[in-house]
Coordinates of all heavy atoms in Angstrom, one line a residue:
S182 N 17.6 9.2 23.6 CA 17.7 8.5 24.9 C 19.1 8.5 25.4 O 19.2 9.0 26.5 CB 17.3 7.0 24.7 OG 17.4 6.3 25.9
D348 N 1.5 -23.5 -12.6 CA 2.4 -23.1 -11.6 C 3.8 -23.8 -11.8 O 4.8 -23.1 -11.6 CB 1.9 -23.4 -10.2 CG 0.8 -22.4 -9.8 OD1 0.6 -21.4 -10.5 OD2 0.2 -22.7 -8.7
F354 N 10.9 -20.7 -16.4 CA 11.4 -19.6 -17.1 C 12.9 -19.4 -16.8 O 13.4 -19.6 -15.7 CB 10.7 -18.3 -16.7 CG 9.3 -18.2 -17.2 CD1 8.2 -18.0 -16.3 CD2 9.0 -18.3 -18.6 CE1 6.9 -17.9 -16.8 CE2 7.7 -18.2 -19.0 CZ 6.7 -18.0 -18.2

Side-chain angles (χ1 to χ4, degrees):
S182 179
D348 282 352
F354 286 128

